Amino acid sequence: MEDSRKAVGMNDTNQEFKEVMEECRGLFAKKLHDYGASWRLLRPTSLTDQLLIKARRIRSLEITGQSLVGEGIRPEFIALINYGIVGLIQMEKGFADKVDMAPDEALALYTQHAKEAFQLMTRKNHDYGEAWRSMRVESYTDFILTKIERVKELEDIHGKALVSEGIEANYMDIINYAVFGAIRMKGKLGIGD
């Protein structure tokens, strides 16, 4: 009986994860239409700083419950997901001095990395038994900030870690925690509610 309940929970998680990723991909495609792959110019450290800005904004909104620009927490989780995938693409392709990627190629790479994030989530979710559902959303934010700090440290030592996971693993964890946040915040403003 417990195994069947656990399987149902994981199936819900899989579906919710896919729905959030489809929402993110849709926004990514629209931004590709409007701006092209302008993010190709971002060096790794600039991308990390963009992730930091988004995560700190979430934390600020969680603490103060007040937004002066009118956007809530969930859109920032969505941004973290998309920037995390951009980070994975940049790690794979390197940064460029000009836009050098067509929208179709960018979307194909996005889909590939989103699939990898999903596969990692399913493995970890199996091993951790849906623990993310018992966590507070604020914990996702703190874990994301911790992962960003780890990326910064790894960048400062030029990726020469002795025992730690690499930058890509941290990007994947940022994406997955942000997806959990987006799932949990669905239908909420995320400002004091």
Side-chain angles (χ1 to χ4, degrees):
M1 182 79 160
E2 185 177 323
D3 286 342
S4 65
R5 281 188 303 222
K6 190 174 181 181
V8 169
M10 286 204 277
N11 287 334
D12 291 345
T13 297
N14 291 353
Q15 184 60 36
E16 289 169 320
F17 193 100
K18 288 176 182 177
E19 288 170 5
V20 167
M21 291 307 287
E22 189 58 36
E23 176 184 351
C24 293
R25 188 181 186 281
L27 178 61
F28 185 81
K30 288 176 184 174
K31 289 195 175 199
L32 273 174
H33 175 272
D34 292 351
Y35 305 127
S38 58
W39 45 265
R40 290 287 296 132
L41 281 66
L42 288 173
R43 290 176 285 176
T45 53
S46 298
L47 185 57
T48 302
D49 286 343
Q50 183 64 25
L51 288 164
L52 179 65
I53 290 166
K54 296 298 183 182
R56 282 199 178 158
R57 182 160 189 277
I58 292 171
R59 189 167 171 156
S60 175
L61 292 173
E62 289 170 345
I63 292 168
T64 67
Q66 185 177 31
S67 170
L68 299 182
V69 296
E71 288 188 355
I73 292 170
R74 192 171 189 279
E76 300 295 3
F77 278 127
I78 299 297
L80 284 168
I81 295 161
N82 282 346
Y83 278 115
I85 292 177
V86 164
L88 292 170
I89 295 170
Q90 295 293 78
M91 294 295 297
E92 178 182 341
K93 298 292 186 183
F95 67 91
D97 290 327
K98 61 181 179 160
V99 176
D100 64 348
M101 188 176 290
D104 289 347
E105 181 183 0
L107 280 171
L109 289 166
Y110 185 100
T111 301
Q112 170 196 327
H113 289 293
K115 181 179 177 182
E116 291 166 2
F118 174 77
Q119 291 168 343
L120 176 65
M121 181 281 299
T122 58
R123 291 191 307 270
K124 285 188 173 186
N125 200 37
H126 174 271
D127 289 356
Y128 288 98
E130 296 278 306
W132 71 273
R133 290 194 184 272
S134 301
M135 294 169 58
R136 296 174 183 94
V137 173
E138 293 83 1
S139 294
Y140 308 144
T141 305
D142 291 349
F143 291 153
I144 289 167
L145 283 163
T146 301
K147 296 292 181 176
I148 293 167
E149 192 60 34
R150 289 177 180 178
V151 169
K152 288 174 62 176
E153 292 294 327
L154 288 167
E155 288 171 345
D156 289 346
I157 62 170
H158 308 288
K160 294 182 176 141
L162 298 177
V163 296
S164 304
E165 297 176 311
I167 291 172
E168 294 92 341
N170 284 285
Y171 281 149
M172 291 289 256
D173 287 344
I174 290 166
I175 292 164
N176 286 338
Y177 281 123
V179 171
F180 293 153
I183 290 169
R184 295 281 299 280
M185 297 301 299
K186 189 170 186 174
K188 297 181 182 182
L189 293 175
I191 307 170
D193 59 1

